[in-house]
Amino acid sequence: MATGQLVLDNVDYDERATMRAWESFLADAPKCARDPVHVRSLIHDSWYRSATGGIDAQGIEAPLSSDRDEIEYLTRANAELLSAARRSFASLGPLLEGTGAMLVLADSDGVLIDAIGDKKTLHNGQDIHLGIGGKWNEDAVGTNGIGTALWTGEPIFVHAAEHFCAGIKSWTCAGAPIRDPLDGKIIGVVDLSGYSPIFRPHNTALVAATARQIEKALAEQQQEQRTRLLEAFISSAPSYRRKDGLVIVDHRGRAIFCNNVPNGDTTEMMDGPMEPGRGRWLMNLPASGSDSDLANALPAHLRSCHVTPLKLDGDLRGAALVFPSVPAVSSMTVIRREENKHLRTAAAMIVGESEKLLAAVDVASRVAGSNGVTSLLIEGETGVGKELFARLVHAGSRRTENDPFIAMNCGAITKELFGSELFGHVGGAFTGASREGKPGIFELANGGVLSLDEIGELPLEIQPFLLRVLEERVVHRIGDSRGRPVDVRLVASTNRDLKQEVAAGRFRSDLYYRIGAVSIHVPALRERGDDVLLLVEHFNRRIAKLAGNDPLEFSNDALDALLAYRWPGNVRELKNLVERLHILARGGTIELQDLPGEISAGNRDAIAMHGDHPATMLEAPVCTFEDAERQAIKNALVAESGNLSKVALRLGISRPTLYRKLGQYGIRRGFL
């Protein structure tokens, strides 16, 4: 084999060829995106993300925070992860001395929080800021073992010239993500790094095994905390009855214990549907442990429960939510439930369970139920479903069945007609005005909700008049001196960054602060994880029902490709895709090749390093209920050859529930 060549994971690696590929890529990244250079697809895709993300290819180091307060905050924020890694790091540290290798631990943002290993290598790592406080996600330093493992969610290695930045091409690194055992989210990365001669094919296996050990330690910590919180609840709530519904949440507001809590709309004890499931985020715990702050922190659909703070060693570490089996019913309770029926219906239209999405739904629900908040700003990319949030506010604000919902897209109105459309006009007020005059949308929305989509398109000269109406709640038709009182809740939405528009002088700051007193950011679909699968299921069944057909089946490879795709058109793009598949699919099952090229291409080489294998799936010992459930799912996956529809049918659960279970137990779909 020629000098400079190695066999990396069954791929011939040539240092000079990789450098030439990197140089070609930098010379014409768009062309190389269409006609990939000769490197591993994982590296090529990461190079493209780095280039389009503005990373300096000639960079020599990662960003570094050396501020003591910031480092102390990082240590406190990641105390559980550091504690779980302590045993593994303590045993591996002495073994790395003299090997030229160092082992580092990074948090979910790729910031290093611990480092051990060969002293000389630790010292040399400081030259590129590979030390505590260094930020190594792809957005900061491009392709590298830590950042790329965070991006892919899989154990990977990046060797020498495969790094994107020139200053770190003398290093080799292998990283493996660490997932929270409770909800499956990535909370960190363990990485083995050193100068390129330390590369061995089994480096990736070493960090993957270390990550699994840390996850096991995390699970033990969580089990201990769960037990202590249950004991704290039992000692503080002697009046609790076994038939009452009970949910215990941890310090992050995630459900860690559920008992007698009904699912869906069948329950009489809650204002909204709820299927907590272990690991599901339910609320944000306040900094203080006071009963009033805790009650105020409850989302709207959980307000009917009794909440009790749970303290361990004097600190607030969780809460108990108790749903009485026979709640006291008053006339106000009946009215509230009737109002929330509309809110539940509107919330059900927003499909997803990601933490960011649920937080946005919670804020919108709070605004809807508040008498003091008269406006809401919804920010998010095109296609994320901003109008659904506007309708959610309308549903929760309704006092009568006839309360109007009026929507206007500011980008679809000519500059000359804005004033007339917003405020109305009297007869003959201007050339082209109707003889009888007409009301504007503020008058039409009186008593209800006015949704102004793409408010960033509102002409600058119209903005003072809109501000005046919002402040005075009086509208003047064009050509009329008489004011007309209006009671309107404004929901403004935009795909622009209004703060930047204010800075650029294209949007008035006083109007921005008036409409943005309460704002929510609707996350892009690429930020919502397994919500993609829930939405595929939702649109698939809805479209099939409308057409009178059976829902389509999706292969594992197709589902993995849909999960991996970036969805620039967001939920709207996904809905259009499912509609297209229903029209064009030749059979009842969608395979990888049935998907558009831009989706399928990103998944062809993504099945390189998956975890569990069918041959070893039946060997895990079963010792708890969770172990039994996990093993049952694995057995069903093997029996049904990974067909998720058949697995759900075999287990007697819905596909969305199966998706959640797969994420909860860290079972990857592409292992077969």
Side-chain angles (χ1 to χ4, degrees), residues 88 92 155 176 190 203-216:
S88 297
L92 287 172
V190 61
N203 286 357
T204 308
L206 173 64
V207 293
T210 305
R212 299 296 83 76
Q213 289 177 346
I214 295 172
E215 289 172 352
K216 182 179 179 182

Side-chain angles (χ1 to χ4, degrees), residues 579-599:
E579 288 178 341
R580 172 184 171 183
L581 292 173
H582 270 270
I583 295 170
L584 300 180
R586 291 186 173 87
T589 300
I590 301 301
E591 301 291 348
L592 182 62
Q593 59 268 25
D594 296 320
L595 300 177
E598 65 271 18
I599 298 178

Side-chain angles (χ1 to χ4, degrees), residues 473-489:
R473 298 194 180 189
V474 174
V475 66
H476 292 80
R477 292 186 183 182
I478 295 176
D480 191 358
S481 60
R482 179 167 59 96
R484 302 167 190 265
V486 288
D487 178 15
V488 172
R489 171 164 281 176

Side-chain angles (χ1 to χ4, degrees), residues 593-617:
Q593 59 268 25
D594 296 320
L595 300 177
E598 65 271 18
I599 298 178
S600 60
N603 197 56
R604 297 192 190 283
D605 300 302
I607 315 174
M609 305 182 75
H610 284 74
D612 300 311
H613 189 278
T616 61
M617 291 182 68

Side-chain angles (χ1 to χ4, degrees), residues 171-252:
W171 288 72
T172 187
C173 47
I178 301 167
R179 294 183 180 272
D180 190 314
L182 189 59
D183 58 20
K185 290 184 173 63
I186 295 176
I187 58 173
V189 170
V190 61
D191 174 87
L192 184 74
S193 290
Y195 287 123
S196 57
I198 74 156
F199 174 81
R200 298 293 182 274
H202 55 255
N203 286 357
T204 308
L206 173 64
V207 293
T210 305
R212 299 296 83 76
Q213 289 177 346
I214 295 172
E215 289 172 352
K216 182 179 179 182
L218 279 168
E220 292 172 353
Q221 289 178 183
Q222 290 172 354
Q223 182 61 37
E224 179 183 0
Q225 185 188 50
R226 179 172 180 261
T227 301
R228 293 186 66 193
L229 287 174
L230 280 168
E231 291 172 349
F233 170 71
I234 292 170
S235 63
S236 64
S239 61
Y240 168 71
R241 299 167 297 180
R242 291 181 60 86
K243 59 184 178 180
D244 291 340
L246 172 64
V247 178
I248 303 290
V249 299
D250 66 7
H251 61 290
R252 294 181 184 172

Side-chain angles (χ1 to χ4, degrees), residues 104-397:
V104 300
L105 182 68
D107 68 10
S108 58
D109 290 324
V111 180
L112 269 60
I113 55 177
D114 200 5
I116 60 168
D118 179 70
K119 290 184 175 61
K120 184 177 180 181
T121 307
L122 287 168
H123 179 268
N124 292 338
Q126 297 299 323
D127 293 340
I128 59 172
H129 294 165
L130 189 64
I132 294 176
K135 190 169 187 177
W136 285 84
N137 61 37
E138 281 196 348
D139 291 339
V141 73
T143 309
N144 71 90
I146 297 169
T148 307
L150 277 174
W151 179 273
T152 61
E154 299 289 343
I156 59 99
F157 68 84
V158 177
H159 181 65
E162 291 181 330
H163 289 88
F164 185 76
C165 291
I168 54 178
K169 286 183 178 291
S170 60
W171 288 72
T172 187
C173 47
I178 301 167
R179 294 183 180 272
D180 190 314
L182 189 59
D183 58 20
K185 290 184 173 63
I186 295 176
I187 58 173
V189 170
V190 61
D191 174 87
L192 184 74
S193 290
Y195 287 123
S196 57
I198 74 156
F199 174 81
R200 298 293 182 274
H202 55 255
N203 286 357
T204 308
L206 173 64
V207 293
T210 305
R212 299 296 83 76
Q213 289 177 346
I214 295 172
E215 289 172 352
K216 182 179 179 182
L218 279 168
E220 292 172 353
Q221 289 178 183
Q222 290 172 354
Q223 182 61 37
E224 179 183 0
Q225 185 188 50
R226 179 172 180 261
T227 301
R228 293 186 66 193
L229 287 174
L230 280 168
E231 291 172 349
F233 170 71
I234 292 170
S235 63
S236 64
S239 61
Y240 168 71
R241 299 167 297 180
R242 291 181 60 86
K243 59 184 178 180
D244 291 340
L246 172 64
V247 178
I248 303 290
V249 299
D250 66 7
H251 61 290
R252 294 181 184 172
R254 302 174 301 177
I256 60 172
F257 177 85
C258 307
N259 186 53
N260 287 343
V261 180
N263 299 333
D265 294 322
T266 59
T267 177
E268 289 292 325
M269 65 178 64
M270 292 178 287
D271 287 337
M274 175 179 170
E275 185 186 353
R278 287 190 58 192
R280 179 175 175 182
W281 178 86
L282 295 179
M283 63 182 294
N284 287 319
L285 265 68
S288 74
S290 70
D291 291 0
S292 59
D293 286 348
L294 195 59
N296 291 333
L298 284 171
H301 65 282
L302 298 179
R303 293 287 172 84
S304 63
C305 74
H306 302 309
V307 59
T308 302
L310 299 178
K311 295 185 177 181
L312 300 179
D313 304 323
D315 296 324
L316 181 67
R317 300 299 294 171
L321 314 182
V322 178
F323 302 88
S325 56
V326 186
V329 178
S330 65
S331 58
M332 181 59 68
T333 303
V334 173
I335 294 171
R336 179 68 183 271
R337 284 182 184 154
E338 190 62 29
E339 291 174 353
N340 284 335
K341 184 191 301 180
H342 301 298
L343 187 65
R344 289 199 302 270
T345 301
M349 297 298 294
I350 303 174
V351 178
E353 295 188 344
S354 65
E355 184 173 328
K356 290 182 179 179
L357 183 74
L358 292 177
V361 171
D362 177 48
V363 173
S365 299
R366 287 170 180 265
V367 169
S370 168
N371 292 324
V373 179
T374 58
S375 62
L376 172 70
L377 176 62
I378 305 174
E379 299 176 296
E381 297 178 8
T382 299
V384 295
K386 296 188 288 293
E387 185 176 336
L388 291 177
F389 283 84
R391 292 191 176 276
L392 177 64
V393 172
H394 173 242
S397 307

